[in-house]
Amino acid sequence: MDTKKILIALLLFTTMFSFSQGKDLPKDFLPSKFHKERRALLRSKMPNNSVAVFFANPSRNRANDVDYLYHQDPNFYYLTGSREPNAVLLIFSEKQQSAKGLYNELFYVEKKTARAEVVSGPGIGIDGAQKLLGFKNVFYGKDFATISVDFSKFDKVIFEDFKNDVRDDKRTDADLYDLILTFKTKISYQTSSDKIPASDKNIKLATNIDVTAVKGLMATLREVKTKEELVLLKKAVRISAMGQVEIMKAMHPKMSETEVQGIHEFVYKKYGAEYEGYPSIVGAGNNGCILHYQENNKMSLKNDLVLMDLGAEYRGYTADVTRTIPANGKFSKEQKLIYDLVYEAQEAGIAQYIIEGKISTPGLTARKIINEGLYKLGIIKSVDEKHPYFPHGTSHHIGLDVHDPGNYTTFAEDMVLTMEPGIYIPEGSKCDKKWWGIGVRIEDDILITKNGPIILSADAPRKSDEIEKMMQQKSIFETYTLPDLDKK
Ligand code: GLY
Ligand code: MN
Ligand code: MN
């Protein structure tokens, strides 16, 4: 590129980013008050004389100089509201004294270079972290190296252990890699696979490091949703259910798995959801028997059952909804028998999503019903037979993570968990081959309330006859045609 072209490209970038940073942005992200209250609650649960340290998620390289779309670490987002990398948060159980006064949290954010601002837009900076996120004590990352906090004086230094998969961006000395290295040096952290710099090798290993507590503390906070979180989570779930409804109307045997995925994701984006909460799963026939199938590249659905496990992420909160439908609009006899059995297991399980009930109970109930059903259909030889046809659990929390943290003991009000039984009979299974290639999962997102379970994903039909009825409805996609690019 010559200089003129570079200048034009820069101008274009700058113009684009001044627009993207404008006022017309979503207004329903969680407010800074929410994150502040969550930090206060965490503080109240931390051991005396402790400090908890949280790092932002790293950027991940996709190929060459292109990174994957950035996604914040959910714990970090929950506590800060920040959606930027290269940041670290310190929360102290008690107030600390500095020359400037008392503080109980410190937040270090990225100072973007002028070049980085041109490429990826302005960062939030100290000003933004104070005004938009509501932090008082905010600094730039490079100041973390000269932090006056003496970590050795705390009874506990709490953080999640490092996975050693953060790249060093050599153009800066305050990226996530550097922040972590600084922290490791300060706390004398050392494992056989993870050395502090050679110059600091004489430092004794710290004894106050606790890499297990974060998990339990954050699970306790995050497993029960606040009212603000429920608004966003319900929206994510309803959007995902609407995606299922539109595909029920549009599906036909000549459609590809890719197109099915595209229609779902189009519906999410139309509702303003920012991403998928996890890679979309659209598996026809035998592909539906692969639990986390992601290729979604079969060219035609034919007359198979199509398993679609899809969740929109809305303002950070993700749904997790699965429907399994016949590509031609009508369940075959075998498909219906398996489908209705999974439905029966799901219904019985959902009825047990009640306050103080054990979270493990619905799964056991579903398994019993499925085993009895498989036996009656002659697919297994006895109800106690160990078999491969239902190889997963049924109930996990959803929230900022599709598999949200929790203690997994008993149900409590305002928890949201999936109920997702399934039966998968891949080709070659040890049963009559009329069952081969049938994979069914039905997954709904259930809110626990004082008045019993509420199915948040109820907009998408679940009963086999209701699905067939929905599939007869007209679709806007029937008339949405594009030019054939392969025609000579
Ligand atoms: N979509 C992943 C799961 O159902 O757990
Ligand atoms: Mn799930
Ligand atoms: Mn799922």
Side-chain angles (χ1 to χ4, degrees), residues 278 281 292 309-310 319-322 396 402-403 418 420 441 443:
Y278 53 91
I281 299 169
H292 285 181
D309 184 342
L310 303 139
D320 188 7
V321 179
T322 308
H396 61 82
V402 64
H403 296 162
T418 62
E420 50 175 311
R441 175 158 69 254
E443 177 171 27

Side-chain angles (χ1 to χ4, degrees), residues 5 12 51 61 91 96 101 119 161 176 222-223 253 287 290 354 366 380 402 404 420 434:
K5 279 187 185 152
L12 203 71
V51 52
N61 185 257
I91 297 182
Q96 309 292 307
V119 173
D161 213 353
L176 187 66
R222 287 176 56 191
E223 67 181 357
N287 291 341
I290 302 167
I354 44 173
I380 57 175
V402 64
D404 224 34
E420 50 175 311
K434 68 181 179 183

Side-chain angles (χ1 to χ4, degrees), residues 320 353 394-396 398 416-420 443-446:
D320 188 7
Y353 277 51
T394 57
S395 316
H396 61 82
I398 57 167
V416 182
L417 296 100
T418 62
M419 178 59 198
E420 50 175 311
E443 177 171 27
D444 284 84
D445 301 335
I446 318 295

Side-chain angles (χ1 to χ4, degrees), residues 24-31 34-35 71 77-78 81 83 228-229 231-233 235-237 239 268-277 312-319 399-401:
D24 192 20
L25 296 171
K27 297 198 175 34
D28 54 350
F29 278 102
L30 290 167
F34 166 87
H35 304 289
H71 195 281
Y77 180 71
Y78 189 82
R83 285 176 282 133
E228 301 101 310
E229 287 182 288
V231 171
L232 300 179
L233 192 48
K235 185 131 184 201
V237 176
I239 289 172
Y268 303 170
K269 302 270 179 188
K270 184 116 175 112
Y271 279 114
E274 49 275 48
Y275 330 97
E276 294 74 61
E313 180 174 319
Y314 187 82
R315 310 296 175 253
Y317 285 81
T318 182
L400 290 171
D401 276 292

Side-chain angles (χ1 to χ4, degrees), residues 350-361:
I350 291 172
Q352 294 172 321
Y353 277 51
I354 44 173
I355 293 175
E356 288 184 7
K358 275 179 148 180
I359 293 182
S360 55
T361 304

Side-chain angles (χ1 to χ4, degrees), residues 39 43 51-55 76 79-80 87-92 94 96-98 100-109 129 135-140 143-144 146-151 154:
R39 294 196 296 277
R43 198 174 286 118
V51 52
V53 183
F54 294 88
F55 290 90
F76 197 82
L79 295 170
T80 64
V88 55
L89 168 71
L90 282 75
I91 297 182
F92 302 88
E94 289 86 17
Q96 309 292 307
Q97 180 77 55
S98 80
K100 288 191 194 145
L102 294 171
Y103 63 92
N104 60 10
E105 53 193 28
L106 300 172
F107 192 30
Y108 293 82
V109 299
F135 282 92
K136 268 203 196 113
N137 297 293
V138 190
F139 309 89
Y140 282 126
D143 297 325
F144 190 50
T146 53
I147 187 174
S148 60
V149 173
D150 175 3
F151 289 96
F154 293 96

Side-chain angles (χ1 to χ4, degrees), residues 15 71 107 131 139 151 166 202 464-465:
T15 320
H71 195 281
F107 192 30
K131 292 202 179 105
F139 309 89
F151 289 96
V166 179
N202 296 330
S464 48
D465 57 342

